[in-house]
Amino acid sequence: MLRVSDLRAGYAGIEVLKGVSLEVGPGEIVALIGANGAGKTTLLRTISGLIKASDGRVEFDGADATSRPTEALARAGLVHVPEGRNVFPRMTVRENLLVATWRRGSGVSEDLDRTSKLFPILDQRRNQQAYTLSGGEQQMLALGRAIMRDPRLLMLDEPSMGLAPLVASEVFDLIGKLHQGGTPVLLVEQNAKSALRLASRAYVLVNGSIAAEGSADELLSSDMIKRAYLGEN
Ligand code: ATP
């Protein structure tokens, strides 16, 4: 579904991604874990066309998607939810959801129904301005906006960032539900334990290169991963 081969990218002459290859198959949740500064955000931004790749290839659904414009990729179903909550603070919850659909004439009310079912809290708060929502609710809204785009693959950058543990676990439950609905997910997380519990497979990014990959169970039980990313001895 998504295949990244030998991808290289960076900023102003600094190479951050040094030949990254990974795959997300239909129906999979794949976690990407790594320390601060490893290049996780840069990788998602390069896949979604926000940063131009200097080399390598991104394929989505068998077609070349390397450095294609972000909006074109989103219309093709590759939807990226960036780090931070990125809601329009002065718009209501409903308006935030509808922004994602402004180019479409049809299917919007079905998408609103589907999103409201997944996120009852957004329905309850539909007429509230987004800045009045809690951090967890704003994260739900950012996810809800992605769902309104009817994604064929979701890329989530640190969806639990800044959330209290209980709220973060609600967000993880929701990602699990999206996945049960059939949407494949590439999940970038600092919270490696939660990400590995949710994912079927994972990659570990170190200094812009994939240092390890395997099933989530293998990585959860690896001594190196336990020490470096799970805070265990
Ligand atoms: P974190 O978990 O802290 O978000 P990350 O793994 O997502 O880290 P990136 O944000 O991709 O890492 O950053 C990778 C490297 O690229 C870092 O050394 C960072 O300083 C650098 N970097 C990120 N954004 C820029 C930018 N706009 N200009 C220059 N360098 C940048």
Side-chain angles (χ1 to χ4, degrees), residues 11 14 16 34-43 83 157-158 190:
Y11 306 94
I14 305 163
V16 173
N36 284 329
K40 305 179 297 296
T41 295
T42 304
L43 177 59
E83 207 173 8
D157 196 352
E158 304 265 8
Q190 280 285 313

Side-chain angles (χ1 to χ4, degrees), residues 185-199:
V185 179
L186 176 58
L187 173 65
V188 162
E189 258 298 328
Q190 280 285 313
N191 186 339
K193 199 176 262 178
S194 301
L196 289 174
R197 284 195 182 133
L198 203 57

Side-chain angles (χ1 to χ4, degrees), residues 75-221:
R75 263 184 271 131
L78 180 59
V79 177
H80 176 194
V81 181
E83 207 173 8
R85 293 177 196 132
N86 292 299
V87 296
F88 296 105
R90 295 279 164 189
M91 287 187 182
T92 65
V93 166
R94 177 56 56 91
E95 286 163 349
N96 265 279
L97 292 175
L98 291 175
V99 160
T101 64
W102 68 277
R103 279 171 186 272
R104 272 198 288 145
S106 62
V108 172
S109 69
E110 288 84 350
D111 284 343
L112 263 180
D113 282 352
R114 195 161 42 91
T115 308
S116 304
K117 280 204 189 90
L118 270 169
F119 304 85
I121 190 74
L122 296 184
D123 204 34
Q124 284 165 33
R125 305 252 189 275
R126 61 185 174 278
N127 295 320
Q128 248 173 265
Q129 286 177 300
Y131 80 91
T132 66
L133 300 179
S134 71
E137 289 164 353
Q138 288 188 27
Q139 185 62 58
M140 304 272 182
L141 180 53
L143 284 172
R145 227 171 38 190
I147 300 310
M148 287 295 291
R149 307 205 67 152
D150 210 3
R152 307 196 45 239
L153 188 143
L154 268 177
M155 296 200 298
L156 307 180
D157 196 352
E158 304 265 8
S160 77
M161 190 170 62
L163 301 180
L166 261 182
V167 185
S169 76
E170 276 179 38
V171 169
F172 285 123
D173 286 350
L174 198 81
I175 296 168
K177 268 198 209 161
L178 293 178
H179 172 244
Q180 281 160 19
T183 311
V185 179
L186 176 58
L187 173 65
V188 162
E189 258 298 328
Q190 280 285 313
N191 186 339
K193 199 176 262 178
S194 301
L196 289 174
R197 284 195 182 133
L198 203 57
S200 48
R201 289 190 308 112
Y203 296 86
V204 181
L205 194 64
V206 176
N207 285 329
S209 301
I210 301 292
E213 63 178 281
S215 75
D217 289 343
E218 272 163 16
L219 294 181
L220 272 169
S221 58

